[in-house]
Short mmCIF file of all heavy atoms in Angstrom, two decimals:
data_model
loop_
_atom_site.label_atom_id
_atom_site.label_comp_id
_atom_site.label_asym_id
_atom_site.label_seq_id
_atom_site.Cartn_x
_atom_site.Cartn_y
_atom_site.Cartn_z
N MET A 29 -34.83 -4.14 9.64
CA MET A 29 -33.45 -4.05 10.16
C MET A 29 -33.35 -2.87 11.12
O MET A 29 -33.62 -1.73 10.77
CB MET A 29 -32.49 -3.87 8.98
CG MET A 29 -31.03 -3.91 9.39
SD MET A 29 -29.95 -3.88 7.94
CE MET A 29 -28.39 -3.50 8.74
N THR A 30 -32.99 -3.15 12.33
CA THR A 30 -32.88 -2.09 13.33
C THR A 30 -31.43 -1.75 13.57
O THR A 30 -30.55 -2.60 13.46
CB THR A 30 -33.53 -2.52 14.66
OG1 THR A 30 -32.84 -3.65 15.17
CG2 THR A 30 -34.99 -2.88 14.47
N THR A 31 -31.19 -0.51 13.89
CA THR A 31 -29.81 -0.06 14.11
C THR A 31 -29.29 -0.53 15.46
O THR A 31 -28.11 -0.41 15.74
CB THR A 31 -29.74 1.46 14.03
OG1 THR A 31 -30.76 2.02 14.83
CG2 THR A 31 -29.89 1.93 12.60
N ASN A 32 -30.18 -1.05 16.28
CA ASN A 32 -29.75 -1.50 17.60
C ASN A 32 -29.12 -2.89 17.57
O ASN A 32 -28.55 -3.33 18.55
CB ASN A 32 -30.92 -1.51 18.58
CG ASN A 32 -31.28 -0.09 19.02
OD1 ASN A 32 -30.42 0.79 19.00
ND2 ASN A 32 -32.52 0.13 19.39
N ASP A 33 -29.27 -3.56 16.44
CA ASP A 33 -28.66 -4.88 16.35
C ASP A 33 -27.14 -4.76 16.38
O ASP A 33 -26.57 -3.94 15.66
CB ASP A 33 -29.07 -5.56 15.03
CG ASP A 33 -30.47 -6.11 15.13
OD1 ASP A 33 -30.99 -6.22 16.26
OD2 ASP A 33 -31.05 -6.41 14.08
N PRO A 34 -26.50 -5.56 17.20
CA PRO A 34 -25.04 -5.51 17.24
C PRO A 34 -24.46 -6.02 15.93
O PRO A 34 -24.97 -6.96 15.34
CB PRO A 34 -24.65 -6.42 18.41
CG PRO A 34 -25.82 -7.32 18.59
CD PRO A 34 -27.03 -6.55 18.14
N ILE A 35 -23.41 -5.39 15.49
CA ILE A 35 -22.73 -5.84 14.28
C ILE A 35 -21.94 -7.10 14.60
O ILE A 35 -21.28 -7.19 15.64
CB ILE A 35 -21.79 -4.73 13.76
CG1 ILE A 35 -22.60 -3.50 13.37
CG2 ILE A 35 -20.96 -5.25 12.59
CD1 ILE A 35 -21.74 -2.27 13.12
N SER A 36 -22.05 -8.06 13.71
CA SER A 36 -21.30 -9.30 13.91
C SER A 36 -20.17 -9.39 12.91
O SER A 36 -20.33 -9.03 11.74
CB SER A 36 -22.21 -10.51 13.76
OG SER A 36 -23.03 -10.64 14.91
N VAL A 37 -19.03 -9.85 13.38
CA VAL A 37 -17.90 -10.07 12.49
C VAL A 37 -17.41 -11.50 12.68
O VAL A 37 -17.74 -12.14 13.68
CB VAL A 37 -16.75 -9.08 12.80
CG1 VAL A 37 -17.17 -7.66 12.50
CG2 VAL A 37 -16.28 -9.23 14.24
N ASP A 38 -16.65 -11.98 11.73
CA ASP A 38 -16.09 -13.32 11.86
C ASP A 38 -14.75 -13.23 12.58
O ASP A 38 -13.91 -12.41 12.22
CB ASP A 38 -15.86 -13.94 10.48
CG ASP A 38 -17.17 -14.26 9.79
OD1 ASP A 38 -18.17 -14.42 10.51
OD2 ASP A 38 -17.18 -14.33 8.55
N CYS A 39 -14.56 -14.07 13.57
CA CYS A 39 -13.28 -14.12 14.25
C CYS A 39 -12.21 -14.46 13.20
O CYS A 39 -12.33 -15.43 12.47
CB CYS A 39 -13.32 -15.19 15.34
SG CYS A 39 -11.70 -15.52 16.07
N PRO A 40 -11.16 -13.63 13.10
CA PRO A 40 -10.12 -13.89 12.10
C PRO A 40 -9.43 -15.23 12.29
O PRO A 40 -8.83 -15.76 11.35
CB PRO A 40 -9.13 -12.74 12.33
CG PRO A 40 -9.91 -11.69 13.01
CD PRO A 40 -10.92 -12.42 13.86
N ASN A 41 -9.50 -15.77 13.48
CA ASN A 41 -8.80 -17.03 13.74
C ASN A 41 -9.67 -18.25 13.50
O ASN A 41 -9.30 -19.14 12.76
CB ASN A 41 -8.28 -17.03 15.18
CG ASN A 41 -7.41 -18.24 15.43
OD1 ASN A 41 -6.40 -18.44 14.76
ND2 ASN A 41 -7.79 -19.07 16.38
N CYS A 42 -10.87 -18.29 14.10
CA CYS A 42 -11.69 -19.49 14.00
C CYS A 42 -12.97 -19.27 13.22
O CYS A 42 -13.77 -20.19 13.08
CB CYS A 42 -12.00 -20.03 15.39
SG CYS A 42 -13.09 -18.98 16.35
N LYS A 43 -13.17 -18.05 12.71
CA LYS A 43 -14.32 -17.73 11.86
C LYS A 43 -15.65 -17.80 12.58
O LYS A 43 -16.69 -17.84 11.96
CB LYS A 43 -14.37 -18.66 10.62
CG LYS A 43 -13.05 -18.76 9.88
CD LYS A 43 -12.56 -17.40 9.42
CE LYS A 43 -11.21 -17.55 8.69
NZ LYS A 43 -10.54 -16.25 8.54
N LYS A 44 -15.62 -17.81 13.90
CA LYS A 44 -16.85 -17.80 14.67
C LYS A 44 -17.44 -16.40 14.64
O LYS A 44 -16.71 -15.42 14.57
CB LYS A 44 -16.52 -18.20 16.12
CG LYS A 44 -17.69 -18.71 16.92
CD LYS A 44 -17.19 -19.33 18.21
CE LYS A 44 -17.55 -18.48 19.41
NZ LYS A 44 -17.09 -19.04 20.68
N GLN A 45 -18.77 -16.34 14.68
CA GLN A 45 -19.42 -15.05 14.68
C GLN A 45 -19.20 -14.35 16.01
O GLN A 45 -19.40 -14.93 17.07
CB GLN A 45 -20.92 -15.23 14.43
CG GLN A 45 -21.24 -15.56 12.98
CD GLN A 45 -21.43 -14.29 12.15
OE1 GLN A 45 -22.33 -13.51 12.40
NE2 GLN A 45 -20.55 -14.08 11.19
N VAL A 46 -18.74 -13.12 15.94
CA VAL A 46 -18.45 -12.35 17.15
C VAL A 46 -19.25 -11.05 17.09
O VAL A 46 -19.23 -10.36 16.08
CB VAL A 46 -16.95 -12.01 17.22
CG1 VAL A 46 -16.63 -11.31 18.53
CG2 VAL A 46 -16.10 -13.26 17.04
N ALA A 47 -19.94 -10.74 18.17
CA ALA A 47 -20.69 -9.49 18.22
C ALA A 47 -19.72 -8.34 18.46
O ALA A 47 -18.90 -8.39 19.38
CB ALA A 47 -21.72 -9.56 19.34
N TRP A 48 -19.82 -7.35 17.61
CA TRP A 48 -18.92 -6.19 17.73
C TRP A 48 -19.50 -5.23 18.75
O TRP A 48 -20.19 -4.27 18.43
CB TRP A 48 -18.77 -5.53 16.36
CG TRP A 48 -17.70 -4.49 16.33
CD1 TRP A 48 -17.84 -3.18 16.71
CD2 TRP A 48 -16.33 -4.65 15.91
NE1 TRP A 48 -16.63 -2.53 16.54
CE2 TRP A 48 -15.69 -3.41 16.05
CE3 TRP A 48 -15.60 -5.74 15.44
CZ2 TRP A 48 -14.36 -3.20 15.73
CZ3 TRP A 48 -14.26 -5.53 15.12
CH2 TRP A 48 -13.66 -4.29 15.27
N ILE A 49 -19.22 -5.51 20.00
CA ILE A 49 -19.74 -4.69 21.09
C ILE A 49 -18.61 -4.30 22.01
O ILE A 49 -17.57 -4.97 22.07
CB ILE A 49 -20.83 -5.46 21.89
CG1 ILE A 49 -20.30 -6.84 22.29
CG2 ILE A 49 -22.12 -5.56 21.08
CD1 ILE A 49 -21.24 -7.60 23.21
N ASP A 50 -18.84 -3.21 22.75
CA ASP A 50 -17.80 -2.72 23.65
C ASP A 50 -17.43 -3.74 24.71
O ASP A 50 -16.30 -3.78 25.19
CB ASP A 50 -18.28 -1.44 24.34
CG ASP A 50 -18.27 -0.26 23.36
OD1 ASP A 50 -17.62 -0.38 22.31
OD2 ASP A 50 -18.90 0.75 23.67
N ALA A 51 -18.42 -4.58 25.06
CA ALA A 51 -18.17 -5.56 26.10
C ALA A 51 -17.16 -6.62 25.65
O ALA A 51 -16.54 -7.28 26.48
CB ALA A 51 -19.48 -6.23 26.51
N ASN A 52 -17.03 -6.78 24.36
CA ASN A 52 -16.08 -7.77 23.85
C ASN A 52 -14.74 -7.10 23.62
O ASN A 52 -14.48 -6.50 22.58
CB ASN A 52 -16.62 -8.39 22.55
CG ASN A 52 -15.65 -9.43 22.00
OD1 ASN A 52 -14.69 -9.81 22.66
ND2 ASN A 52 -15.89 -9.86 20.78
N GLU A 53 -13.88 -7.21 24.61
CA GLU A 53 -12.60 -6.51 24.52
C GLU A 53 -11.64 -7.18 23.55
O GLU A 53 -10.60 -6.62 23.22
CB GLU A 53 -11.96 -6.42 25.91
CG GLU A 53 -11.75 -7.77 26.55
CD GLU A 53 -11.07 -7.63 27.92
OE1 GLU A 53 -9.99 -7.03 27.98
OE2 GLU A 53 -11.64 -8.11 28.91
N TYR A 54 -12.00 -8.37 23.09
CA TYR A 54 -11.09 -9.09 22.19
C TYR A 54 -11.51 -8.98 20.73
O TYR A 54 -10.91 -9.61 19.87
CB TYR A 54 -10.98 -10.56 22.60
CG TYR A 54 -10.59 -10.73 24.05
CD1 TYR A 54 -11.45 -11.32 24.96
CD2 TYR A 54 -9.35 -10.27 24.48
CE1 TYR A 54 -11.09 -11.45 26.28
CE2 TYR A 54 -8.99 -10.38 25.81
CZ TYR A 54 -9.86 -10.98 26.70
OH TYR A 54 -9.50 -11.11 28.01
N ARG A 55 -12.56 -8.22 20.47
CA ARG A 55 -13.01 -8.09 19.09
C ARG A 55 -11.90 -7.57 18.19
O ARG A 55 -11.08 -6.78 18.66
CB ARG A 55 -14.24 -7.18 19.02
CG ARG A 55 -13.97 -5.72 19.38
CD ARG A 55 -15.30 -4.98 19.46
NE ARG A 55 -15.09 -3.54 19.60
CZ ARG A 55 -14.87 -2.94 20.77
NH1 ARG A 55 -14.86 -3.65 21.89
NH2 ARG A 55 -14.68 -1.64 20.81
N PRO A 56 -11.78 -7.96 16.98
CA PRO A 56 -12.73 -8.83 16.28
C PRO A 56 -12.57 -10.31 16.59
O PRO A 56 -13.16 -11.12 15.92
CB PRO A 56 -12.39 -8.55 14.82
CG PRO A 56 -10.92 -8.31 14.82
CD PRO A 56 -10.66 -7.58 16.13
N PHE A 57 -11.79 -10.65 17.58
CA PHE A 57 -11.62 -12.06 17.93
C PHE A 57 -12.71 -12.48 18.88
O PHE A 57 -13.28 -11.65 19.59
CB PHE A 57 -10.24 -12.30 18.56
CG PHE A 57 -9.12 -11.92 17.64
CD1 PHE A 57 -8.54 -10.66 17.71
CD2 PHE A 57 -8.64 -12.81 16.70
CE1 PHE A 57 -7.52 -10.29 16.85
CE2 PHE A 57 -7.62 -12.45 15.84
CZ PHE A 57 -7.05 -11.19 15.92
N CYS A 58 -12.99 -13.79 18.93
CA CYS A 58 -14.06 -14.29 19.77
C CYS A 58 -13.59 -14.44 21.20
O CYS A 58 -14.38 -14.47 22.13
CB CYS A 58 -14.57 -15.62 19.23
SG CYS A 58 -13.38 -16.97 19.36
N SER A 59 -12.29 -14.55 21.41
CA SER A 59 -11.79 -14.80 22.75
C SER A 59 -10.34 -14.34 22.85
O SER A 59 -9.68 -14.07 21.83
CB SER A 59 -11.86 -16.29 23.07
OG SER A 59 -11.04 -17.01 22.18
N LYS A 60 -9.85 -14.29 24.06
CA LYS A 60 -8.47 -13.91 24.28
C LYS A 60 -7.53 -14.91 23.61
O LYS A 60 -6.50 -14.56 23.05
CB LYS A 60 -8.19 -13.89 25.79
CG LYS A 60 -6.80 -13.40 26.16
CD LYS A 60 -6.63 -13.42 27.67
CE LYS A 60 -5.27 -12.85 28.05
NZ LYS A 60 -5.08 -12.81 29.51
N ARG A 61 -7.96 -16.19 23.65
CA ARG A 61 -7.13 -17.25 23.06
C ARG A 61 -6.90 -16.99 21.57
O ARG A 61 -5.79 -17.05 21.07
CB ARG A 61 -7.82 -18.59 23.29
CG ARG A 61 -6.95 -19.78 22.99
CD ARG A 61 -7.66 -21.07 23.39
NE ARG A 61 -7.17 -22.15 22.58
CZ ARG A 61 -7.71 -22.52 21.43
NH1 ARG A 61 -8.76 -21.88 20.97
NH2 ARG A 61 -7.19 -23.51 20.74
N CYS A 62 -8.00 -16.71 20.86
CA CYS A 62 -7.88 -16.49 19.43
C CYS A 62 -7.03 -15.26 19.15
O CYS A 62 -6.25 -15.23 18.20
CB CYS A 62 -9.26 -16.33 18.80
SG CYS A 62 -10.03 -17.92 18.43
N LYS A 63 -7.17 -14.25 19.96
CA LYS A 63 -6.39 -13.04 19.76
C LYS A 63 -4.91 -13.34 19.94
O LYS A 63 -4.07 -12.91 19.14
CB LYS A 63 -6.84 -11.97 20.75
CG LYS A 63 -6.14 -10.64 20.50
CD LYS A 63 -6.69 -9.57 21.41
CE LYS A 63 -6.09 -8.22 21.06
NZ LYS A 63 -6.70 -7.12 21.80
N LEU A 64 -4.58 -14.09 20.97
CA LEU A 64 -3.18 -14.41 21.23
C LEU A 64 -2.61 -15.31 20.15
O LEU A 64 -1.47 -15.14 19.73
CB LEU A 64 -3.05 -15.09 22.60
CG LEU A 64 -3.28 -14.17 23.79
CD1 LEU A 64 -3.19 -14.95 25.10
CD2 LEU A 64 -2.30 -13.02 23.79
N ILE A 65 -3.42 -16.25 19.68
CA ILE A 65 -2.95 -17.15 18.62
C ILE A 65 -2.64 -16.35 17.37
O ILE A 65 -1.60 -16.51 16.75
CB ILE A 65 -4.02 -18.23 18.33
CG1 ILE A 65 -4.06 -19.24 19.47
CG2 ILE A 65 -3.72 -18.93 17.00
CD1 ILE A 65 -5.20 -20.24 19.36
N ASP A 66 -3.56 -15.46 17.02
CA ASP A 66 -3.36 -14.67 15.81
C ASP A 66 -2.14 -13.77 15.96
O ASP A 66 -1.32 -13.65 15.06
CB ASP A 66 -4.60 -13.83 15.53
CG ASP A 66 -4.57 -13.26 14.12
OD1 ASP A 66 -4.92 -14.00 13.20
OD2 ASP A 66 -4.18 -12.10 13.96
N PHE A 67 -2.00 -13.16 17.11
CA PHE A 67 -0.87 -12.27 17.34
C PHE A 67 0.43 -13.07 17.32
O PHE A 67 1.44 -12.61 16.79
CB PHE A 67 -1.03 -11.58 18.70
CG PHE A 67 0.06 -10.56 18.95
CD1 PHE A 67 -0.01 -9.32 18.35
CD2 PHE A 67 1.13 -10.86 19.77
CE1 PHE A 67 1.00 -8.38 18.56
CE2 PHE A 67 2.13 -9.93 19.98
CZ PHE A 67 2.06 -8.69 19.39
N GLY A 68 0.37 -14.28 17.85
CA GLY A 68 1.56 -15.13 17.86
C GLY A 68 2.00 -15.48 16.46
O GLY A 68 3.18 -15.47 16.14
N GLU A 69 1.03 -15.81 15.60
CA GLU A 69 1.37 -16.14 14.22
C GLU A 69 1.96 -14.95 13.50
O GLU A 69 2.91 -15.06 12.75
CB GLU A 69 0.11 -16.62 13.48
CG GLU A 69 -0.23 -18.06 13.82
CD GLU A 69 -1.48 -18.51 13.09
OE1 GLU A 69 -1.98 -17.77 12.23
OE2 GLU A 69 -1.93 -19.60 13.40
N TRP A 70 1.40 -13.80 13.80
CA TRP A 70 1.90 -12.57 13.18
C TRP A 70 3.34 -12.32 13.63
O TRP A 70 4.21 -11.98 12.83
CB TRP A 70 1.00 -11.41 13.60
CG TRP A 70 1.46 -10.09 13.08
CD1 TRP A 70 1.24 -9.59 11.84
CD2 TRP A 70 2.21 -9.11 13.79
NE1 TRP A 70 1.81 -8.35 11.75
CE2 TRP A 70 2.41 -8.03 12.91
CE3 TRP A 70 2.73 -9.04 15.09
CZ2 TRP A 70 3.12 -6.89 13.30
CZ3 TRP A 70 3.44 -7.92 15.47
CH2 TRP A 70 3.63 -6.85 14.59
N ALA A 71 3.60 -12.52 14.92
CA ALA A 71 4.94 -12.30 15.45
C ALA A 71 5.92 -13.30 14.85
O ALA A 71 7.05 -12.95 14.51
CB ALA A 71 4.92 -12.42 16.97
N THR A 72 5.49 -14.54 14.70
CA THR A 72 6.37 -15.56 14.12
C THR A 72 6.70 -15.21 12.68
O THR A 72 7.83 -15.34 12.23
CB THR A 72 5.68 -16.93 14.17
OG1 THR A 72 5.24 -17.17 15.51
CG2 THR A 72 6.62 -18.04 13.74
N GLU A 73 5.68 -14.74 11.98
CA GLU A 73 5.89 -14.36 10.59
C GLU A 73 6.92 -13.23 10.50
O GLU A 73 7.79 -13.24 9.67
CB GLU A 73 4.55 -13.89 10.03
CG GLU A 73 4.41 -14.07 8.52
CD GLU A 73 3.00 -13.76 8.07
OE1 GLU A 73 2.10 -14.53 8.44
OE2 GLU A 73 2.81 -12.75 7.41
N ARG A 74 6.77 -12.29 11.38
CA ARG A 74 7.70 -11.16 11.39
C ARG A 74 9.11 -11.63 11.68
O ARG A 74 10.08 -11.16 11.10
CB ARG A 74 7.28 -10.15 12.47
CG ARG A 74 6.81 -8.86 11.88
CD ARG A 74 6.62 -7.83 12.94
NE ARG A 74 7.84 -7.09 13.18
CZ ARG A 74 7.88 -5.94 13.83
NH1 ARG A 74 6.79 -5.43 14.29
NH2 ARG A 74 9.01 -5.31 14.02
N LYS A 75 9.20 -12.57 12.61
CA LYS A 75 10.52 -13.07 13.00
C LYS A 75 11.20 -13.74 11.81
O LYS A 75 12.38 -13.54 11.57
CB LYS A 75 10.35 -14.07 14.16
CG LYS A 75 11.53 -14.08 15.11
CD LYS A 75 11.35 -15.16 16.15
CE LYS A 75 10.67 -14.67 17.41
NZ LYS A 75 10.50 -15.73 18.40
N SER A 76 10.43 -14.50 11.03
CA SER A 76 11.03 -15.21 9.90
C SER A 76 11.47 -14.22 8.83
O SER A 76 12.48 -14.42 8.18
CB SER A 76 10.04 -16.22 9.32
OG SER A 76 8.98 -15.55 8.67
N ILE A 77 10.72 -13.15 8.70
CA ILE A 77 11.12 -12.12 7.73
C ILE A 77 12.42 -11.48 8.20
O ILE A 77 13.33 -11.23 7.42
CB ILE A 77 10.00 -11.06 7.59
CG1 ILE A 77 8.81 -11.67 6.86
CG2 ILE A 77 10.52 -9.84 6.83
CD1 ILE A 77 7.56 -10.83 6.89
N HIS A 78 12.50 -11.26 9.53
CA HIS A 78 13.72 -10.68 10.08
C HIS A 78 14.91 -11.60 9.90
O HIS A 78 16.04 -11.15 9.80
CB HIS A 78 13.53 -10.38 11.57
CG HIS A 78 13.05 -8.99 11.82
ND1 HIS A 78 13.89 -7.96 12.13
CD2 HIS A 78 11.81 -8.46 11.77
CE1 HIS A 78 13.17 -6.85 12.26
NE2 HIS A 78 11.91 -7.12 12.05
N GLY A 79 14.64 -12.92 9.89
CA GLY A 79 15.73 -13.89 9.79
C GLY A 79 16.39 -13.87 8.42
O GLY A 79 17.55 -14.25 8.30
N GLU A 80 15.65 -13.44 7.42
CA GLU A 80 16.25 -13.39 6.09
C GLU A 80 16.81 -12.00 5.83
O GLU A 80 16.20 -11.00 6.18
CB GLU A 80 15.17 -13.71 5.03
CG GLU A 80 14.75 -15.16 5.06
CD GLU A 80 13.63 -15.41 4.06
OE1 GLU A 80 13.60 -14.71 3.04
OE2 GLU A 80 12.81 -16.27 4.34
N SER A 81 17.96 -11.96 5.24
CA SER A 81 18.54 -10.66 4.97
C SER A 81 17.91 -10.05 3.73
O SER A 81 17.67 -10.74 2.74
CB SER A 81 20.05 -10.77 4.80
OG SER A 81 20.38 -11.89 4.04
N LEU A 82 17.59 -8.78 3.83
CA LEU A 82 16.96 -8.09 2.72
C LEU A 82 17.97 -7.79 1.62
O LEU A 82 17.63 -7.66 0.46
CB LEU A 82 16.32 -6.79 3.21
CG LEU A 82 15.16 -6.98 4.18
CD1 LEU A 82 14.74 -5.64 4.77
CD2 LEU A 82 13.97 -7.61 3.47
N TYR A 83 19.21 -7.67 2.01
CA TYR A 83 20.24 -7.35 1.03
C TYR A 83 21.23 -8.50 0.93
O TYR A 83 21.48 -9.19 1.92
CB TYR A 83 20.98 -6.07 1.47
CG TYR A 83 20.04 -4.93 1.72
CD1 TYR A 83 19.67 -4.60 3.01
CD2 TYR A 83 19.51 -4.20 0.65
CE1 TYR A 83 18.80 -3.55 3.25
CE2 TYR A 83 18.63 -3.16 0.89
CZ TYR A 83 18.27 -2.83 2.18
OH TYR A 83 17.40 -1.81 2.41
N PRO A 84 21.82 -8.72 -0.22
CA PRO A 84 22.81 -9.78 -0.36
C PRO A 84 24.02 -9.48 0.52
O PRO A 84 24.46 -8.33 0.62
CB PRO A 84 23.18 -9.77 -1.85
CG PRO A 84 22.74 -8.42 -2.35
CD PRO A 84 21.58 -8.01 -1.48
N VAL A 85 24.49 -10.52 1.17
CA VAL A 85 25.65 -10.33 2.05
C VAL A 85 26.91 -10.20 1.21
O VAL A 85 27.22 -11.05 0.39
CB VAL A 85 25.77 -11.51 3.03
CG1 VAL A 85 27.00 -11.33 3.91
CG2 VAL A 85 24.51 -11.65 3.86
N VAL A 86 27.60 -9.12 1.41
CA VAL A 86 28.82 -8.88 0.64
C VAL A 86 30.02 -9.21 1.53
O VAL A 86 30.14 -8.71 2.65
CB VAL A 86 28.91 -7.41 0.17
CG1 VAL A 86 30.22 -7.17 -0.58
CG2 VAL A 86 27.72 -7.06 -0.70
N ASP A 87 30.85 -10.06 1.03
CA ASP A 87 32.06 -10.44 1.77
C ASP A 87 33.17 -9.44 1.49
O ASP A 87 33.63 -9.29 0.36
CB ASP A 87 32.49 -11.84 1.37
CG ASP A 87 33.51 -12.40 2.36
OD1 ASP A 87 34.20 -11.59 3.03
OD2 ASP A 87 33.60 -13.63 2.48
N ASP A 88 33.56 -8.73 2.51
CA ASP A 88 34.56 -7.69 2.31
C ASP A 88 35.92 -8.25 1.93
O ASP A 88 36.77 -7.55 1.39
CB ASP A 88 34.71 -6.85 3.59
CG ASP A 88 33.51 -5.93 3.78
OD1 ASP A 88 32.91 -5.53 2.77
OD2 ASP A 88 33.18 -5.64 4.92
N ASN A 89 36.14 -9.50 2.21
CA ASN A 89 37.44 -10.10 1.91
C ASN A 89 37.60 -10.44 0.43
O ASN A 89 38.70 -10.76 -0.02
CB ASN A 89 37.66 -11.35 2.74
CG ASN A 89 37.78 -11.00 4.21
OD1 ASN A 89 38.31 -9.94 4.55
ND2 ASN A 89 37.30 -11.86 5.08
N LEU A 90 36.50 -10.37 -0.29
CA LEU A 90 36.57 -10.70 -1.71
C LEU A 90 37.03 -9.49 -2.50
O LEU A 90 36.29 -8.53 -2.68
CB LEU A 90 35.22 -11.17 -2.23
CG LEU A 90 34.84 -12.62 -1.92
CD1 LEU A 90 33.45 -12.91 -2.46
CD2 LEU A 90 35.83 -13.59 -2.53
N ASP A 91 38.27 -9.56 -2.97
CA ASP A 91 38.76 -8.47 -3.82
C ASP A 91 38.26 -8.67 -5.24
O ASP A 91 38.10 -9.79 -5.69
CB ASP A 91 40.29 -8.45 -3.83
CG ASP A 91 40.82 -7.51 -2.76
OD1 ASP A 91 40.02 -6.72 -2.22
OD2 ASP A 91 42.00 -7.59 -2.44
N GLN A 92 38.03 -7.61 -5.93
CA GLN A 92 37.57 -7.76 -7.30
C GLN A 92 38.74 -7.77 -8.29
O GLN A 92 39.77 -7.24 -8.04
CB GLN A 92 36.60 -6.66 -7.68
CG GLN A 92 36.84 -5.33 -7.03
CD GLN A 92 35.80 -4.30 -7.47
OE1 GLN A 92 35.45 -4.23 -8.62
NE2 GLN A 92 35.28 -3.52 -6.56
ZN1 ZN B 111 -12.06 -17.30 17.52
#
């Protein structure tokens, strides 16, 4: 095992082997497409979390 071998990682999106090298600006993704897809899913997930209220909505008009 030589230290000069590039480290390989699995693309988080398509699980393709990706060499972890400086030349690969999209690492750990295999391509720009996979990076954008993954980021898009993350953004969508965040949006759906934002869509739900963390606290119960209190109606001020309801007198106790
Ligand atoms: Zn990929």
Side-chain angles (χ1 to χ4, degrees):
M29 186 173 166
T30 62
T31 49
N32 285 334
D33 282 345
I35 296 168
S36 285
V37 295
D38 291 336
C39 171
N41 187 59
C42 69
K43 310 302 179 195
K44 201 168 110 180
Q45 285 273 296
V46 185
W48 190 275
I49 50 174
D50 286 344
N52 180 10
E53 58 178 303
Y54 306 116
R55 67 188 188 275
F57 301 94
C58 67
S59 62
K60 185 180 184 178
R61 192 174 153 269
C62 276
K63 185 175 186 173
L64 289 177
I65 287 173
D66 194 81
F67 185 78
E69 282 180 7
W70 177 81
T72 308
E73 207 172 293
R74 247 189 89 164
K75 211 184 268 180
S76 70
I77 289 169
H78 268 264
E80 290 176 31
S81 42
L82 294 171
Y83 306 100
V85 178
V86 178
D87 195 335
D88 287 331
N89 293 327
L90 280 178
D91 268 346
Q92 33 181 317

